[in-house]
Amino acid sequence: MELIYFPLKGRGEVIRLLMIENDVSYTETNCGNNWMTEWKPKMAFGQAPCLKDGSLTLVQSNAIIRHLARKFNLYGANEAEACQADIVSDSVEDLRGAYVNLIYKNYEAGKEDYIKALPEKLRLFENFIKDKSPYILGENICFADYCLFDLLDIHLVLAPSCLDSFPALKALYAAVGSRPKVKAHRESDAFKAMPINGNGKQ
Ligand code: GTS
C-alpha cells in the first residue's frame, strides 16, 4: 500500500497503526512538497491523507480506516459490535474536530478553556466503554480502539493528567499501547521525531 500524507502524526497515525498491526508492507509519500500545485489538485476532496491499496485510491481518513477495518476483520463480530465501533469512532471524530480547531485556529486563546471542558467530554467515552475490557468490544480489538487510543495519545500531550479520573480509558490506552507492534513503532526514532500537527502546536 502507499500512504500519501504530510510528515505528521495527525490523521495518518491510526492508518499507520492499522497497517503496522496487520503486517502490511507500505510506503509513505510526503505530499508536503508542492502540495498546492502538485498534490492538492489530485486529491478527490482536496485533502490528504490518501491511501492506495491495489486498484483502490481512497481519501478521507475515516473511509481509509474503515476500509482497513473490513479488510483485516477489525469491525466486530456482528452488527451490534460493528455499531459500537462506529459510535466510538464517530465520537472520536467529533472530539478530534474540536482538537484540530483548537490547534489550528485558537491555540493560545482557547487552550485553557479546552482543557477545562475536556473531562466532561472524556467522561462520555469512559461511561460508554467501561463495561468491557480491555478493548471497546471486550477481548478482541477493533478499529475504533486504535482511533480512541490515538485521540487519547494526542490529548495526553495537551493535558498530561487528563486520564487520571478515567480508569477504563487508562486501561484501553495501556492495552493498545502495549501491543508489541504498536509499542515497537512508538519507540522508533521516526515516530518520536514526527510532529503531531502541522503548525508545531500540540
Ligand atoms: N475529513 C478529512 C479526513 O478525515 O481525511 C480531513 C483531512 C484534512 O483536514 N487534511 C488536511 C489537509 O489536507 C491535513 S491534516 O489536517 O490531516 O493535517 N490540509 C491541506 C488542505 O489544503 O486542506
Side-chain angles (χ1 to χ4, degrees):
M1 295 188 199
E2 178 188 3
L3 175 64
I4 304 169
Y5 192 51
F6 305 97
L8 301 176
K9 288 174 183 149
R11 289 183 174 276
E13 201 46 32
V14 176
I15 298 167
R16 293 186 187 103
L17 287 179
L18 288 169
M19 293 195 290
I20 289 163
E21 282 274 85
N22 293 286
D23 299 322
V24 171
S25 139
Y26 72 96
T27 57
E28 286 221 27
T29 302
N30 175 1
C31 61
N33 304 323
N34 307 322
W35 165 251
M36 289 303 286
T37 51
E38 183 189 344
W39 289 102
K40 190 173 172 76
K42 285 188 193 152
M43 299 292 168
F45 286 85
Q47 291 188 312
C50 171
L51 185 77
K52 294 195 175 185
D53 178 10
S55 61
L56 294 175
T57 297
L58 307 174
V59 292
Q60 287 294 355
S61 57
N62 289 304
I64 295 169
I65 288 166
R66 285 178 162 94
H67 164 66
L68 295 172
R70 289 187 293 271
K71 185 163 182 142
F72 297 116
N73 199 18
L74 292 167
Y75 222 129
N78 52 47
E79 180 60 17
E81 288 195 355
C83 291
Q84 290 290 105
D86 276 340
I87 290 167
V88 172
S89 70
D90 282 2
S91 303
V92 167
E93 179 56 34
D94 284 353
L95 186 49
R96 185 182 289 278
Y99 171 86
V100 165
N101 203 48
L102 170 76
I103 294 289
Y104 287 103
K105 294 192 181 145
N106 193 27
Y107 188 79
E108 281 75 21
K111 184 176 171 183
E112 201 182 318
D113 283 351
Y114 185 95
I115 291 175
K116 241 184 237 163
L118 190 55
E120 202 183 311
K121 295 183 175 162
L122 292 178
R123 161 92 37 218
L124 300 173
F125 285 96
E126 173 79 12
N127 289 343
F128 196 79
I129 71 161
K130 70 172 187 248
D131 297 332
K132 295 267 169 68
S133 95
Y135 302 117
I136 292 163
L137 303 176
E139 272 178 31
N140 295 323
I141 197 161
C142 72
F143 76 95
D145 289 297
Y146 297 98
C147 298
L148 184 50
F149 171 79
D150 184 58
L151 182 82
L152 299 178
D153 199 46
I154 59 180
H155 280 87
L156 281 166
V157 173
L158 180 73
S161 57
C162 70
L163 296 189
D164 286 1
S165 340
F166 302 121
L169 290 178
K170 246 186 186 168
L172 179 138
Y173 183 75
V176 177
S178 63
R179 291 172 70 87
K181 291 176 205 168
V182 173
K183 193 161 179 277
H185 167 64
R186 290 167 59 78
E187 281 167 359
S188 70
D189 292 340
F191 174 87
K192 287 181 190 156
M194 197 175 267
I196 298 177
N197 300 302
N199 61 358
K201 297 183 178 161
Q202 58 180 34

mmCIF file of all heavy atoms in Angstrom, residues 9-10 13-14 17 92 95-96 99 118 122 145-163 169 172-174 176-177 182 185-186 191-192 194-197 202:
data_model
loop_
_atom_site.group_PDB
_atom_site.id
_atom_site.type_symbol
_atom_site.label_atom_id
_atom_site.label_comp_id
_atom_site.label_asym_id
_atom_site.label_seq_id
_atom_site.Cartn_x
_atom_site.Cartn_y
_atom_site.Cartn_z
ATOM 1 N N LYS A 9 1.961 13.050 12.509
ATOM 2 C CA LYS A 9 1.094 12.002 13.075
ATOM 3 C C LYS A 9 -0.326 12.314 12.600
ATOM 4 O O LYS A 9 -0.899 11.565 11.830
ATOM 5 C CB LYS A 9 1.226 11.993 14.590
ATOM 6 C CG LYS A 9 2.591 11.430 15.009
ATOM 7 C CD LYS A 9 2.862 11.527 16.475
ATOM 8 C CE LYS A 9 4.283 11.006 16.751
ATOM 9 N NZ LYS A 9 4.912 11.681 17.888
ATOM 10 N N GLY A 10 -0.880 13.403 13.033
ATOM 11 C CA GLY A 10 -2.147 13.907 12.516
ATOM 12 C C GLY A 10 -3.180 12.830 12.231
ATOM 13 O O GLY A 10 -3.431 11.949 13.054
ATOM 14 N N GLU A 13 -1.874 8.735 11.704
ATOM 15 C CA GLU A 13 -1.329 7.792 12.665
ATOM 16 C C GLU A 13 -2.193 6.535 12.859
ATOM 17 O O GLU A 13 -1.671 5.427 12.973
ATOM 18 C CB GLU A 13 -1.097 8.515 14.006
ATOM 19 C CG GLU A 13 -0.116 7.874 14.938
ATOM 20 C CD GLU A 13 1.204 7.414 14.315
ATOM 21 O OE1 GLU A 13 1.702 8.033 13.360
ATOM 22 O OE2 GLU A 13 1.747 6.405 14.797
ATOM 23 N N VAL A 14 -3.492 6.688 12.877
ATOM 24 C CA VAL A 14 -4.346 5.491 13.031
ATOM 25 C C VAL A 14 -4.185 4.577 11.812
ATOM 26 O O VAL A 14 -4.107 3.347 11.938
ATOM 27 C CB VAL A 14 -5.835 5.886 13.224
ATOM 28 C CG1 VAL A 14 -6.718 4.646 13.277
ATOM 29 C CG2 VAL A 14 -6.008 6.713 14.496
ATOM 30 N N LEU A 17 -0.967 2.740 12.222
ATOM 31 C CA LEU A 17 -1.085 1.668 13.232
ATOM 32 C C LEU A 17 -1.802 0.454 12.657
ATOM 33 O O LEU A 17 -1.393 -0.685 12.884
ATOM 34 C CB LEU A 17 -1.846 2.171 14.475
ATOM 35 C CG LEU A 17 -1.102 3.140 15.398
ATOM 36 C CD1 LEU A 17 -2.008 3.556 16.563
ATOM 37 C CD2 LEU A 17 0.188 2.517 15.930
ATOM 38 N N VAL A 92 -15.015 9.844 18.419
ATOM 39 C CA VAL A 92 -13.603 10.249 18.337
ATOM 40 C C VAL A 92 -13.469 11.372 17.304
ATOM 41 O O VAL A 92 -12.797 12.374 17.527
ATOM 42 C CB VAL A 92 -12.691 9.054 17.958
ATOM 43 C CG1 VAL A 92 -11.300 9.525 17.557
ATOM 44 C CG2 VAL A 92 -12.615 8.056 19.120
ATOM 45 N N LEU A 95 -14.553 14.760 18.716
ATOM 46 C CA LEU A 95 -13.581 15.399 19.604
ATOM 47 C C LEU A 95 -12.315 15.781 18.826
ATOM 48 O O LEU A 95 -11.712 16.822 19.085
ATOM 49 C CB LEU A 95 -13.266 14.488 20.811
ATOM 50 C CG LEU A 95 -12.369 15.088 21.894
ATOM 51 C CD1 LEU A 95 -12.821 16.481 22.333
ATOM 52 C CD2 LEU A 95 -12.303 14.170 23.117
ATOM 53 N N ARG A 96 -11.946 14.974 17.844
ATOM 54 C CA ARG A 96 -10.778 15.336 17.021
ATOM 55 C C ARG A 96 -11.046 16.658 16.292
ATOM 56 O O ARG A 96 -10.163 17.506 16.174
ATOM 57 C CB ARG A 96 -10.438 14.236 16.009
ATOM 58 C CG ARG A 96 -9.159 14.531 15.227
ATOM 59 C CD ARG A 96 -8.848 13.465 14.195
ATOM 60 N NE ARG A 96 -8.425 12.218 14.778
ATOM 61 C CZ ARG A 96 -7.176 11.958 15.190
ATOM 62 N NH1 ARG A 96 -6.243 12.883 15.094
ATOM 63 N NH2 ARG A 96 -6.880 10.789 15.708
ATOM 64 N N TYR A 99 -10.446 19.369 18.671
ATOM 65 C CA TYR A 99 -8.991 19.449 18.911
ATOM 66 C C TYR A 99 -8.290 20.167 17.749
ATOM 67 O O TYR A 99 -7.486 21.075 17.954
ATOM 68 C CB TYR A 99 -8.450 18.025 19.107
ATOM 69 C CG TYR A 99 -6.936 17.928 19.139
ATOM 70 C CD1 TYR A 99 -6.240 18.118 20.330
ATOM 71 C CD2 TYR A 99 -6.213 17.644 17.983
ATOM 72 C CE1 TYR A 99 -4.840 18.029 20.354
ATOM 73 C CE2 TYR A 99 -4.820 17.545 18.005
ATOM 74 C CZ TYR A 99 -4.146 17.740 19.199
ATOM 75 O OH TYR A 99 -2.773 17.665 19.216
ATOM 76 N N LEU A 118 -12.463 19.401 28.933
ATOM 77 C CA LEU A 118 -12.103 18.059 28.458
ATOM 78 C C LEU A 118 -12.675 16.913 29.314
ATOM 79 O O LEU A 118 -13.194 15.935 28.757
ATOM 80 C CB LEU A 118 -10.569 17.973 28.357
ATOM 81 C CG LEU A 118 -9.973 16.761 27.656
ATOM 82 C CD1 LEU A 118 -10.528 16.582 26.249
ATOM 83 C CD2 LEU A 118 -8.433 16.907 27.602
ATOM 84 N N LEU A 122 -14.408 13.495 28.017
ATOM 85 C CA LEU A 122 -13.802 12.168 28.201
ATOM 86 C C LEU A 122 -14.701 11.270 29.041
ATOM 87 O O LEU A 122 -14.728 10.053 28.868
ATOM 88 C CB LEU A 122 -12.418 12.306 28.840
ATOM 89 C CG LEU A 122 -11.360 12.963 27.950
ATOM 90 C CD1 LEU A 122 -10.034 13.111 28.693
ATOM 91 C CD2 LEU A 122 -11.146 12.179 26.652
ATOM 92 N N ASP A 145 -10.755 1.006 18.612
ATOM 93 C CA ASP A 145 -9.784 1.050 19.714
ATOM 94 C C ASP A 145 -8.562 1.866 19.305
ATOM 95 O O ASP A 145 -8.016 2.624 20.107
ATOM 96 C CB ASP A 145 -9.349 -0.366 20.110
ATOM 97 C CG ASP A 145 -10.452 -1.138 20.811
ATOM 98 O OD1 ASP A 145 -10.873 -0.711 21.893
ATOM 99 O OD2 ASP A 145 -10.895 -2.174 20.275
ATOM 100 N N TYR A 146 -8.131 1.685 18.059
ATOM 101 C CA TYR A 146 -6.967 2.445 17.587
ATOM 102 C C TYR A 146 -7.314 3.933 17.464
ATOM 103 O O TYR A 146 -6.487 4.794 17.756
ATOM 104 C CB TYR A 146 -6.484 1.913 16.233
ATOM 105 C CG TYR A 146 -5.989 0.481 16.286
ATOM 106 C CD1 TYR A 146 -6.805 -0.584 15.914
ATOM 107 C CD2 TYR A 146 -4.690 0.193 16.722
ATOM 108 C CE1 TYR A 146 -6.354 -1.894 15.964
ATOM 109 C CE2 TYR A 146 -4.224 -1.119 16.767
ATOM 110 C CZ TYR A 146 -5.066 -2.157 16.392
ATOM 111 O OH TYR A 146 -4.617 -3.455 16.439
ATOM 112 N N CYS A 147 -8.548 4.206 17.012
ATOM 113 C CA CYS A 147 -8.975 5.612 16.887
ATOM 114 C C CYS A 147 -8.987 6.268 18.265
ATOM 115 O O CYS A 147 -8.483 7.392 18.440
ATOM 116 C CB CYS A 147 -10.378 5.694 16.281
ATOM 117 S SG CYS A 147 -10.524 5.029 14.624
ATOM 118 N N LEU A 148 -9.564 5.569 19.248
ATOM 119 C CA LEU A 148 -9.643 6.136 20.596
ATOM 120 C C LEU A 148 -8.247 6.253 21.209
ATOM 121 O O LEU A 148 -7.921 7.248 21.850
ATOM 122 C CB LEU A 148 -10.582 5.273 21.461
ATOM 123 C CG LEU A 148 -10.863 5.769 22.878
ATOM 124 C CD1 LEU A 148 -11.283 7.237 22.920
ATOM 125 C CD2 LEU A 148 -11.966 4.904 23.529
ATOM 126 N N PHE A 149 -7.433 5.238 20.999
ATOM 127 C CA PHE A 149 -6.056 5.281 21.507
ATOM 128 C C PHE A 149 -5.341 6.534 21.000
ATOM 129 O O PHE A 149 -4.720 7.278 21.772
ATOM 130 C CB PHE A 149 -5.300 4.028 21.041
ATOM 131 C CG PHE A 149 -3.824 4.081 21.335
ATOM 132 C CD1 PHE A 149 -3.350 3.808 22.612
ATOM 133 C CD2 PHE A 149 -2.914 4.415 20.343
ATOM 134 C CE1 PHE A 149 -1.982 3.865 22.891
ATOM 135 C CE2 PHE A 149 -1.552 4.478 20.619
ATOM 136 C CZ PHE A 149 -1.089 4.196 21.892
ATOM 137 N N ASP A 150 -5.429 6.780 19.705
ATOM 138 C CA ASP A 150 -4.715 7.924 19.132
ATOM 139 C C ASP A 150 -5.277 9.241 19.661
ATOM 140 O O ASP A 150 -4.529 10.180 19.947
ATOM 141 C CB ASP A 150 -4.800 7.870 17.597
ATOM 142 C CG ASP A 150 -3.986 8.975 16.956
ATOM 143 O OD1 ASP A 150 -2.763 9.025 17.221
ATOM 144 O OD2 ASP A 150 -4.550 9.808 16.229
ATOM 145 N N LEU A 151 -6.593 9.293 19.826
ATOM 146 C CA LEU A 151 -7.208 10.508 20.380
ATOM 147 C C LEU A 151 -6.702 10.765 21.803
ATOM 148 O O LEU A 151 -6.379 11.895 22.173
ATOM 149 C CB LEU A 151 -8.734 10.344 20.383
ATOM 150 C CG LEU A 151 -9.508 11.561 20.887
ATOM 151 C CD1 LEU A 151 -9.655 12.594 19.766
ATOM 152 C CD2 LEU A 151 -10.891 11.161 21.405
ATOM 153 N N LEU A 152 -6.641 9.699 22.601
ATOM 154 C CA LEU A 152 -6.150 9.851 23.976
ATOM 155 C C LEU A 152 -4.678 10.249 23.966
ATOM 156 O O LEU A 152 -4.238 11.082 24.756
ATOM 157 C CB LEU A 152 -6.354 8.550 24.766
ATOM 158 C CG LEU A 152 -7.818 8.096 24.910
ATOM 159 C CD1 LEU A 152 -7.888 6.772 25.675
ATOM 160 C CD2 LEU A 152 -8.671 9.159 25.606
ATOM 161 N N ASP A 153 -3.934 9.663 23.043
ATOM 162 C CA ASP A 153 -2.499 9.953 22.958
ATOM 163 C C ASP A 153 -2.254 11.442 22.713
ATOM 164 O O ASP A 153 -1.428 12.059 23.397
ATOM 165 C CB ASP A 153 -1.911 9.115 21.812
ATOM 166 C CG ASP A 153 -0.401 8.991 21.925
ATOM 167 O OD1 ASP A 153 0.087 8.715 23.034
ATOM 168 O OD2 ASP A 153 0.286 9.190 20.912
ATOM 169 N N ILE A 154 -2.968 12.031 21.779
ATOM 170 C CA ILE A 154 -2.715 13.451 21.487
ATOM 171 C C ILE A 154 -3.226 14.333 22.634
ATOM 172 O O ILE A 154 -2.636 15.373 22.910
ATOM 173 C CB ILE A 154 -3.301 13.885 20.112
ATOM 174 C CG1 ILE A 154 -4.811 13.660 20.020
ATOM 175 C CG2 ILE A 154 -2.580 13.147 18.989
ATOM 176 C CD1 ILE A 154 -5.422 14.080 18.671
ATOM 177 N N HIS A 155 -4.276 13.881 23.309
ATOM 178 C CA HIS A 155 -4.767 14.678 24.444
ATOM 179 C C HIS A 155 -3.854 14.564 25.663
ATOM 180 O O HIS A 155 -3.753 15.500 26.454
ATOM 181 C CB HIS A 155 -6.219 14.309 24.775
ATOM 182 C CG HIS A 155 -7.182 14.988 23.845
ATOM 183 N ND1 HIS A 155 -7.549 14.452 22.633
ATOM 184 C CD2 HIS A 155 -7.790 16.197 23.911
ATOM 185 C CE1 HIS A 155 -8.363 15.297 22.006
ATOM 186 N NE2 HIS A 155 -8.526 16.362 22.763
ATOM 187 N N LEU A 156 -3.177 13.452 25.796
ATOM 188 C CA LEU A 156 -2.220 13.320 26.907
ATOM 189 C C LEU A 156 -1.036 14.272 26.741
ATOM 190 O O LEU A 156 -0.423 14.687 27.716
ATOM 191 C CB LEU A 156 -1.737 11.865 27.028
ATOM 192 C CG LEU A 156 -2.731 10.938 27.734
ATOM 193 C CD1 LEU A 156 -2.357 9.476 27.509
ATOM 194 C CD2 LEU A 156 -2.793 11.243 29.234
ATOM 195 N N VAL A 157 -0.726 14.604 25.488
ATOM 196 C CA VAL A 157 0.336 15.594 25.253
ATOM 197 C C VAL A 157 -0.186 16.996 25.617
ATOM 198 O O VAL A 157 0.506 17.782 26.259
ATOM 199 C CB VAL A 157 0.803 15.538 23.776
ATOM 200 C CG1 VAL A 157 1.788 16.666 23.471
ATOM 201 C CG2 VAL A 157 1.425 14.178 23.475
ATOM 202 N N LEU A 158 -1.412 17.254 25.262
ATOM 203 C CA LEU A 158 -2.010 18.572 25.549
ATOM 204 C C LEU A 158 -2.275 18.753 27.047
ATOM 205 O O LEU A 158 -2.061 19.820 27.613
ATOM 206 C CB LEU A 158 -3.325 18.686 24.767
ATOM 207 C CG LEU A 158 -4.110 19.988 24.915
ATOM 208 C CD1 LEU A 158 -3.411 21.118 24.157
ATOM 209 C CD2 LEU A 158 -5.536 19.812 24.376
ATOM 210 N N ALA A 159 -2.761 17.683 27.675
ATOM 211 C CA ALA A 159 -3.180 17.747 29.083
ATOM 212 C C ALA A 159 -2.769 16.445 29.768
ATOM 213 O O ALA A 159 -3.557 15.499 29.850
ATOM 214 C CB ALA A 159 -4.696 17.932 29.146
ATOM 215 N N PRO A 160 -1.517 16.372 30.239
ATOM 216 C CA PRO A 160 -0.949 15.096 30.686
ATOM 217 C C PRO A 160 -1.746 14.359 31.772
ATOM 218 O O PRO A 160 -1.648 13.139 31.868
ATOM 219 C CB PRO A 160 0.437 15.495 31.211
ATOM 220 C CG PRO A 160 0.772 16.743 30.463
ATOM 221 C CD PRO A 160 -0.528 17.470 30.238
ATOM 222 N N SER A 161 -2.556 15.052 32.552
ATOM 223 C CA SER A 161 -3.294 14.332 33.602
ATOM 224 C C SER A 161 -4.740 14.040 33.194
ATOM 225 O O SER A 161 -5.557 13.666 34.035
ATOM 226 C CB SER A 161 -3.243 15.126 34.907
ATOM 227 O OG SER A 161 -3.761 16.402 34.678
ATOM 228 N N CYS A 162 -5.046 14.179 31.918
ATOM 229 C CA CYS A 162 -6.463 14.127 31.518
ATOM 230 C C CYS A 162 -7.129 12.768 31.731
ATOM 231 O O CYS A 162 -8.353 12.682 31.770
ATOM 232 C CB CYS A 162 -6.655 14.608 30.080
ATOM 233 S SG CYS A 162 -6.002 13.504 28.828
ATOM 234 N N LEU A 163 -6.339 11.705 31.895
ATOM 235 C CA LEU A 163 -6.970 10.381 32.094
ATOM 236 C C LEU A 163 -7.037 9.973 33.555
ATOM 237 O O LEU A 163 -7.534 8.882 33.869
ATOM 238 C CB LEU A 163 -6.203 9.307 31.299
ATOM 239 C CG LEU A 163 -6.206 9.445 29.780
ATOM 240 C CD1 LEU A 163 -5.614 8.197 29.131
ATOM 241 C CD2 LEU A 163 -7.616 9.700 29.265
ATOM 242 N N LEU A 169 -10.600 4.285 30.344
ATOM 243 C CA LEU A 169 -9.828 4.899 29.259
ATOM 244 C C LEU A 169 -8.338 4.638 29.455
ATOM 245 O O LEU A 169 -7.614 4.347 28.497
ATOM 246 C CB LEU A 169 -10.092 6.410 29.197
ATOM 247 C CG LEU A 169 -11.487 6.821 28.730
ATOM 248 C CD1 LEU A 169 -11.638 8.343 28.752
ATOM 249 C CD2 LEU A 169 -11.772 6.302 27.324
ATOM 250 N N LEU A 172 -7.668 1.037 28.451
ATOM 251 C CA LEU A 172 -7.657 0.861 26.992
ATOM 252 C C LEU A 172 -6.379 1.452 26.394
ATOM 253 O O LEU A 172 -5.733 0.835 25.544
ATOM 254 C CB LEU A 172 -8.889 1.522 26.370
ATOM 255 C CG LEU A 172 -8.945 1.400 24.836
ATOM 256 C CD1 LEU A 172 -10.360 1.069 24.363
ATOM 257 C CD2 LEU A 172 -8.439 2.640 24.115
ATOM 258 N N TYR A 173 -6.009 2.614 26.882
ATOM 259 C CA TYR A 173 -4.789 3.265 26.376
ATOM 260 C C TYR A 173 -3.572 2.364 26.621
ATOM 261 O O TYR A 173 -2.740 2.169 25.736
ATOM 262 C CB TYR A 173 -4.613 4.625 27.074
ATOM 263 C CG TYR A 173 -3.426 5.390 26.572
ATOM 264 C CD1 TYR A 173 -3.461 6.015 25.322
ATOM 265 C CD2 TYR A 173 -2.259 5.476 27.322
ATOM 266 C CE1 TYR A 173 -2.351 6.706 24.837
ATOM 267 C CE2 TYR A 173 -1.153 6.169 26.843
ATOM 268 C CZ TYR A 173 -1.203 6.778 25.605
ATOM 269 O OH TYR A 173 -0.110 7.452 25.126
ATOM 270 N N ALA A 174 -3.514 1.773 27.810
ATOM 271 C CA ALA A 174 -2.383 0.896 28.145
ATOM 272 C C ALA A 174 -2.426 -0.376 27.300
ATOM 273 O O ALA A 174 -1.392 -0.865 26.832
ATOM 274 C CB ALA A 174 -2.414 0.560 29.631
ATOM 275 N N VAL A 176 -3.777 -0.955 24.263
ATOM 276 C CA VAL A 176 -3.382 -0.746 22.857
ATOM 277 C C VAL A 176 -1.889 -0.401 22.792
ATOM 278 O O VAL A 176 -1.143 -0.954 21.977
ATOM 279 C CB VAL A 176 -4.235 0.364 22.188
ATOM 280 C CG1 VAL A 176 -3.758 0.614 20.756
ATOM 281 C CG2 VAL A 176 -5.713 -0.019 22.191
ATOM 282 N N GLY A 177 -1.447 0.468 23.700
ATOM 283 C CA GLY A 177 -0.052 0.927 23.673
ATOM 284 C C GLY A 177 0.953 -0.167 23.968
ATOM 285 O O GLY A 177 2.111 -0.064 23.581
ATOM 286 N N VAL A 182 2.625 -2.096 18.108
ATOM 287 C CA VAL A 182 2.329 -0.685 18.391
ATOM 288 C C VAL A 182 3.480 -0.097 19.205
ATOM 289 O O VAL A 182 3.995 0.989 18.913
ATOM 290 C CB VAL A 182 0.994 -0.548 19.172
ATOM 291 C CG1 VAL A 182 0.761 0.889 19.616
ATOM 292 C CG2 VAL A 182 -0.180 -1.047 18.323
ATOM 293 N N HIS A 185 6.663 0.407 17.156
ATOM 294 C CA HIS A 185 6.500 1.573 16.273
ATOM 295 C C HIS A 185 6.692 2.870 17.059
ATOM 296 O O HIS A 185 7.412 3.780 16.634
ATOM 297 C CB HIS A 185 5.099 1.520 15.650
ATOM 298 C CG HIS A 185 4.676 2.788 14.981
ATOM 299 N ND1 HIS A 185 5.309 3.305 13.867
ATOM 300 C CD2 HIS A 185 3.673 3.681 15.275
ATOM 301 C CE1 HIS A 185 4.713 4.437 13.503
ATOM 302 N NE2 HIS A 185 3.736 4.684 14.344
ATOM 303 N N ARG A 186 6.079 2.922 18.238
ATOM 304 C CA ARG A 186 6.125 4.158 19.018
ATOM 305 C C ARG A 186 7.498 4.395 19.652
ATOM 306 O O ARG A 186 7.814 5.498 20.062
ATOM 307 C CB ARG A 186 5.007 4.131 20.067
ATOM 308 C CG ARG A 186 3.633 4.265 19.398
ATOM 309 C CD ARG A 186 2.524 3.925 20.358
ATOM 310 N NE ARG A 186 2.532 4.766 21.525
ATOM 311 C CZ ARG A 186 2.084 6.020 21.582
ATOM 312 N NH1 ARG A 186 1.569 6.573 20.494
ATOM 313 N NH2 ARG A 186 2.131 6.713 22.690
ATOM 314 N N PHE A 191 9.072 7.713 14.671
ATOM 315 C CA PHE A 191 7.841 8.106 15.369
ATOM 316 C C PHE A 191 8.115 9.275 16.302
ATOM 317 O O PHE A 191 7.368 10.264 16.320
ATOM 318 C CB PHE A 191 7.270 6.924 16.164
ATOM 319 C CG PHE A 191 6.078 7.307 17.007
ATOM 320 C CD1 PHE A 191 4.800 7.290 16.466
ATOM 321 C CD2 PHE A 191 6.241 7.702 18.329
ATOM 322 C CE1 PHE A 191 3.698 7.666 17.233
ATOM 323 C CE2 PHE A 191 5.147 8.071 19.104
ATOM 324 C CZ PHE A 191 3.877 8.053 18.552
ATOM 325 N N LYS A 192 9.196 9.160 17.062
ATOM 326 C CA LYS A 192 9.484 10.204 18.058
ATOM 327 C C LYS A 192 9.782 11.556 17.403
ATOM 328 O O LYS A 192 9.480 12.598 17.963
ATOM 329 C CB LYS A 192 10.662 9.774 18.938
ATOM 330 C CG LYS A 192 10.268 8.677 19.922
ATOM 331 C CD LYS A 192 11.428 8.289 20.804
ATOM 332 C CE LYS A 192 11.123 7.042 21.614
ATOM 333 N NZ LYS A 192 12.344 6.327 22.015
ATOM 334 N N MET A 194 8.468 12.651 14.613
ATOM 335 C CA MET A 194 7.373 13.152 13.790
ATOM 336 C C MET A 194 6.442 14.056 14.607
ATOM 337 O O MET A 194 5.945 13.649 15.654
ATOM 338 C CB MET A 194 6.587 11.951 13.234
ATOM 339 C CG MET A 194 5.706 12.335 12.079
ATOM 340 S SD MET A 194 4.908 10.895 11.360
ATOM 341 C CE MET A 194 6.065 10.484 10.087
ATOM 342 N N PRO A 195 6.210 15.288 14.140
ATOM 343 C CA PRO A 195 5.307 16.161 14.902
ATOM 344 C C PRO A 195 3.863 15.657 14.857
ATOM 345 O O PRO A 195 3.478 14.954 13.916
ATOM 346 C CB PRO A 195 5.422 17.510 14.203
ATOM 347 C CG PRO A 195 6.024 17.249 12.878
ATOM 348 C CD PRO A 195 6.743 15.930 12.940
ATOM 349 N N ILE A 196 3.093 16.031 15.879
ATOM 350 C CA ILE A 196 1.677 15.621 15.891
ATOM 351 C C ILE A 196 0.911 16.434 14.848
ATOM 352 O O ILE A 196 0.121 15.882 14.075
ATOM 353 C CB ILE A 196 1.055 15.833 17.292
ATOM 354 C CG1 ILE A 196 1.776 14.978 18.331
ATOM 355 C CG2 ILE A 196 -0.448 15.500 17.264
ATOM 356 C CD1 ILE A 196 1.288 15.178 19.756
ATOM 357 N N ASN A 197 1.160 17.725 14.826
ATOM 358 C CA ASN A 197 0.372 18.610 13.964
ATOM 359 C C ASN A 197 1.277 19.426 13.053
ATOM 360 O O ASN A 197 2.478 19.543 13.301
ATOM 361 C CB ASN A 197 -0.474 19.545 14.842
ATOM 362 C CG ASN A 197 -1.419 18.763 15.734
ATOM 363 O OD1 ASN A 197 -2.242 17.988 15.242
ATOM 364 N ND2 ASN A 197 -1.291 18.943 17.058
ATOM 365 N N GLN A 202 0.847 21.535 20.007
ATOM 366 C CA GLN A 202 0.412 20.198 20.433
ATOM 367 C C GLN A 202 -0.163 20.244 21.843
ATOM 368 O O GLN A 202 -0.039 21.220 22.530
ATOM 369 C CB GLN A 202 1.566 19.212 20.378
ATOM 370 C CG GLN A 202 2.761 19.582 21.226
ATOM 371 C CD GLN A 202 3.883 18.571 21.149
ATOM 372 O OE1 GLN A 202 4.119 17.947 20.114
ATOM 373 N NE2 GLN A 202 4.582 18.367 22.245
#
